Amino acid sequence: MALRGLVALALLVLISRFSSCYLPPTPSSHGFIQCLTENIPSELIFTPGSRNFTGVLVSTIRNSRFLSANTAICIVTVTDASHVQAAVRCGRANGVRLRVRSGGHDYEGLSYRSVRPETFAVVDLADLRAITITTDGEHWAWVDSGATVGELYHTIGKHSTELAFPAGVCPTLGIGGHLSGGGIGSMMRKYGLSVDNVVDAKLVDASGDLLGSRAAMGEDLFWAIRGGGGESFGVVVSWKLRLVKVPSTVTVLRISRTLEQGAVDAVTKWQHVAPTLPDGINMEVLVQGRQAVFQSLYLGACHHILPTLASRLPELNATAADCNEMTWLESAAFINFGNTNTTALLDRSTGRLDSFFKNKSDYVRRAVARGVWLEIFTNWLSTNGSGLLILEPHGGLVGSIPAGATPYPHRSGVLYNIQYVASWSAGDGSSAAMNWVHSLYDFMGQHVSKSPREAYANFRDLDIGENKVVKDVSTFHNATVWGHKYFGSNFQRLATVKGKVDPTDYFRNEQSIPPLVRGRRGRLELAPARRRRGCWWAQGEEAATGLGLRERDARVGKGPVRPTEIDSQPNPFPIQSAGI
């Protein structure tokens, strides 16, 4: 039996080598599941006919909008990196794509659903969740992608009251997804984004190989997975994080101001003050129902920050009564639950399954005028279906790191980020809430960043664009519509990395990075191109896409090559299934 298993594994590896270049034109669900059962314990595989399939599927669905979405042919609840490798190799061999889910917080549900008809399986990382803290002069943590932010915080806080990690506020965020999109949070002004503190990682690539270190994957790929959407390049199974020092006592402040109490003036002033406060304090604003709540985390004791707030933002009239002193771990619980029960950070449950929401995002580089805020408070937040605005200040360290240091480009010059949240319950109907968030977003267009209108990749929004697939590969030209909003000038570099590590576009969703490749003369070209020994390769100017000949014609005066022409150029050697 053991020999049979080894033979099956050897054949799978051999098949995956071939399949990484050329795949069957018709997906085989049966073949995929049979392949899985030969390489992964059967109790980890759930098909729609399994008794617990629905329970596993909804276990981390956070948005009930997608409960009836396009269903996977199976869910693989991996517990080891070798299971991920097998899923990739079986998928390639049988023409089945993979969606990868860690915490289920993808705002469009793309980690477990497909918008367009597609044969796919879900690799669920929730049980791949080990956390190990080490000390060798500095403090590090190896964290599996299926662990939650709350589990990470709890583990660090129990290890030491003077260590922390800069990540998001929500405790049920999956580490894998959070880091793949950048990771903004309440300590980014002091210590940068989450990805600014990632020092190593382990990734299963599009061939099913485990790249067990930064050195193994190379600097370009390591750069790309830290904020460029890790699901586009492979499956990151584990991350090495640099832990940061915090004082044993931190302070959480909450100050509310209604419209009648001067909320408009306070928010208007906050725009200028919050990004320039000492980097040890982060003051976000929650705007809802004609009221603004100023919520701060200060890395220190209350009496140290009050004089600064009194002089810089007297509109809040902050006093000691607004302060709550505690440990950093307790602050993570307090911000979420209003108490210091840190055990609650370990709760991974989704809660109610009748909660629906839609989110959008913006970045502000020039303060919004007081009159605009007055209109928001008096009109937009008083209409039927109105929701919530969350304003997250930048500045400090996150604003001083170069825009190209990681794929997250929203650095120097950003005052704050806006998240628009529309929510409704079952039976209420979505029309009012959806109309509110789309109309407000349109209204804000003249007051936020432009060319491009920036957006945060972790607040995924399919409204800003979806990929177009031509001959089974996502096209670069169409993807720039949304790609430049998320990644700015980093988008082309991300696509180039994709072209190197996944040229046939196996890891693909509606907003995944499209592949670009460099030909022999260094030009960026569509991928893939020419078939060689059963594979599709990019081969310089004579690539089978016809791009090389068109560029040659352009050089001799036959006119420029337009991207739309390249995307639609017929391929004389049709790619049968080179992008599955």
Side-chain angles (χ1 to χ4, degrees), residues 362-363 365 409-410 441 444-455 480-489:
D362 266 319
Y363 283 84
R365 292 179 175 271
H410 319 289
Y441 182 78
M444 290 296 291
Q446 58 190 311
H447 307 295
V448 297
S449 62
K450 300 174 181 64
S451 300
R453 183 175 182 178
E454 299 168 75
T480 58
V481 174
W482 58 265
H484 287 156
K485 295 177 185 293
Y486 289 150
F487 305 114
S489 60

Side-chain angles (χ1 to χ4, degrees), residues 11 25 28 49 54 95 113 141 181 184 220 251 267 297 320 322 345-346 357 378 394 419 436-437 459 482 485:
L11 287 172
S28 172
T54 300
R113 74 168 184 130
I184 64 175
D220 283 344
T251 303
V267 171
L297 173 66
D322 300 309
L345 295 170
L346 301 175
F357 58 87
T378 56
H394 278 49
Q419 181 179 183
W436 174 83
V437 72
F459 297 159
W482 58 265
K485 295 177 185 293

Side-chain angles (χ1 to χ4, degrees), residues 180-184 193 195-196 223-224 226-229 361 363-365 394-395 397-415 417 449 451-458 482-494 513:
S180 293
I184 64 175
L193 303 173
V195 293
D196 296 328
W223 172 84
R226 292 177 298 139
S361 65
Y363 283 84
V364 176
R365 292 179 175 271
H394 278 49
L397 182 60
V398 71
S400 66
I401 294 173
T406 70
Y408 183 92
H410 319 289
R411 303 284 191 169
S412 178
V414 171
L415 298 179
N417 167 275
S449 62
S451 300
R453 183 175 182 178
E454 299 168 75
Y456 178 34
N458 264 355
W482 58 265
H484 287 156
K485 295 177 185 293
Y486 289 150
F487 305 114
S489 60
N490 294 327
F491 183 61
Q492 182 165 302
R493 182 181 175 187
L494 286 168
I513 303 297

Side-chain angles (χ1 to χ4, degrees), residues 81 84 100-102 125 128 142-146 175-177 179-180 198 200-205 210-211 217 221-222 224-226 229-240 507:
V84 179
V100 183
R101 180 171 72 175
S102 53
L125 303 177
L128 193 66
W142 270 105
V143 186
D144 287 348
S145 285
I175 287 294
L179 299 187
S180 293
V198 172
D200 208 343
K202 300 177 182 179
L203 173 142
V204 175
D205 69 9
L210 177 62
L211 307 180
M217 69 180 74
L221 179 53
F222 181 67
I225 63 174
R226 292 177 298 139
E231 78 281 358
S232 295
F233 306 96
V235 183
V236 183
V237 294
S238 191
W239 310 77
K240 186 179 182 181
F507 291 111

Side-chain angles (χ1 to χ4, degrees), residues 103-424:
H105 279 267
D106 187 305
Y107 278 175
E108 295 286 2
L110 301 187
S111 60
Y112 53 86
R113 74 168 184 130
S114 177
V115 175
R116 56 178 67 100
E118 185 171 78
T119 301
F120 72 99
V122 171
V123 173
D124 194 310
L125 303 177
D127 290 329
L128 193 66
R129 55 203 277 193
I131 302 172
T132 305
I133 295 177
T134 60
T135 302
D136 56 2
E138 292 192 60
H139 299 277
W140 317 96
W142 270 105
V143 186
D144 287 348
S145 285
T148 65
V149 165
E151 290 169 342
L152 174 61
Y153 287 174
H154 192 271
T155 302
I156 296 171
K158 293 302 180 182
H159 180 82
S160 171
T161 59
E162 296 184 346
L163 288 176
F165 183 74
V169 170
C170 179
T172 57
L173 289 169
I175 287 294
H178 189 54
L179 299 187
S180 293
I184 64 175
S186 57
M187 292 196 296
M188 65 180 177
R189 301 189 62 256
K190 178 69 172 180
Y191 292 114
L193 303 173
S194 297
V195 293
D196 296 328
N197 295 278
V198 172
V199 297
D200 208 343
K202 300 177 182 179
L203 173 142
V204 175
D205 69 9
S207 296
D209 292 334
L210 177 62
L211 307 180
S213 68
R214 173 178 183 169
M217 69 180 74
E219 286 302 305
D220 283 344
L221 179 53
F222 181 67
W223 172 84
I225 63 174
R226 292 177 298 139
E231 78 281 358
S232 295
F233 306 96
V235 183
V236 183
V237 294
S238 191
W239 310 77
K240 186 179 182 181
L241 312 178
R242 179 193 302 110
L243 304 185
V244 301
K245 297 284 290 182
V246 293
S248 57
T249 298
V250 304
T251 303
V252 177
L253 299 94
R254 274 187 179 155
I255 303 172
S256 299
R257 288 291 179 268
T258 64
L259 183 62
E260 294 73 23
Q261 293 172 327
V264 171
D265 289 333
V267 171
T268 302
K269 180 76 169 291
W270 170 91
Q271 298 177 103
H272 301 279
V273 173
T276 61
L277 284 170
D279 56 17
I281 184 170
N282 184 85
M283 181 184 289
E284 67 175 6
V285 185
L286 288 73
V287 182
Q288 186 176 30
R290 297 164 63 94
Q291 177 178 265
V293 178
F294 297 80
Q295 181 169 271
S296 304
L297 173 66
Y298 172 62
L299 302 179
C302 175
H303 67 274
H304 288 145
I305 194 61
L306 283 180
T308 300
L309 295 180
S311 63
R312 300 290 306 281
L313 202 53
E315 289 81 358
L316 295 186
N317 191 29
T319 68
D322 300 309
C323 293
N324 300 273
E325 293 185 341
M326 59 196 73
T327 66
W328 170 79
L329 178 60
E330 289 171 336
S331 76
F334 187 84
I335 289 172
N336 277 281
F337 315 121
N339 58 58
T340 57
N341 176 19
T342 58
T343 303
L345 295 170
L346 301 175
D347 185 0
R348 300 169 65 101
S349 64
T350 58
R352 297 170 52 186
L353 290 179
D354 63 348
S355 178
F356 303 76
F357 58 87
K358 169 65 182 177
N359 303 64
K360 301 180 77 66
S361 65
D362 266 319
Y363 283 84
V364 176
R365 292 179 175 271
R366 183 176 180 179
V368 177
R370 182 187 185 280
V372 176
W373 280 114
L374 180 61
E375 184 173 353
I376 291 172
F377 273 92
T378 56
N379 295 333
W380 290 100
L381 295 176
S382 302
T383 61
N384 184 33
S386 65
L388 167 71
L389 279 68
I390 303 174
L391 318 180
E392 193 73 41
H394 278 49
L397 182 60
V398 71
S400 66
I401 294 173
T406 70
Y408 183 92
H410 319 289
R411 303 284 191 169
S412 178
V414 171
L415 298 179
Y416 58 96
N417 167 275
I418 304 177
Q419 181 179 183
Y420 309 91
V421 185
S423 61
W424 62 97

